Amino acid sequence: MPLMRESLGLSDAQKGKIFAAFGLAYALCEIPGGRLGDWLGPRSVLIRVVLWWSFFTAATGRAWSFASLWVIRFMFAPARRMLPNLTKAFTLWLTKPERTRAQGIM
């Protein structure tokens, strides 16, 4: 954020709004993301998560203003749908002892 703040001329209030955009979208997408995993399967959702995450990671570096960065960060957060889907994948793909270790590492 320090370099982005300088490059885009962001105030402290704008920085807070950008961080809040991610948190808001994250909160809004967690339950629908889990339901999507129930419907499509965790593997399908996790593939989409990796693609979405990669795209918005690159897009973050292309932000040109406060508004563009806010939208990018808001859209970045739905990629975090991985948590409920990783848990489901662990349940389907791993034995119980392996599941515990994997969940602890995650």
Side-chain angles (χ1 to χ4, degrees):
M1 182 53 88
L3 296 175
M4 292 175 74
R5 179 179 184 220
E6 183 181 317
S7 176
L8 299 175
L10 301 174
S11 69
D12 287 340
Q14 288 174 318
K15 281 187 348 184
K17 289 176 183 177
I18 289 166
F19 289 133
F22 182 87
L24 174 65
Y26 183 92
L28 293 173
C29 292
E30 198 66 21
I31 291 173
R35 298 212 21 122
L36 187 65
D38 289 341
W39 181 54
L40 296 175
R43 179 175 300 177
S44 179
V45 172
L46 290 172
I47 289 168
R48 287 171 173 80
V49 162
V50 168
L51 294 173
W52 188 278
W53 186 276
S54 299
F55 176 81
F56 282 101
T57 296
T60 300
R62 302 293 234 151
W64 63 91
S65 66
F66 163 73
S68 69
L69 185 57
W70 191 93
V71 169
I72 290 166
R73 293 301 293 173
F74 186 85
M75 295 304 294
F76 197 113
R80 297 294 299 188
R81 295 176 294 203
M82 71 181 177
L83 184 61
N85 289 291
L86 276 175
T87 300
K88 181 163 181 124
F90 291 165
T91 302
L92 297 174
W93 302 340
L94 303 173
T95 65
K96 194 165 190 144
E98 291 172 322
R99 233 182 281 161
T100 305
R101 182 177 303 129
Q103 195 72 34
I105 292 169
M106 184 180 70

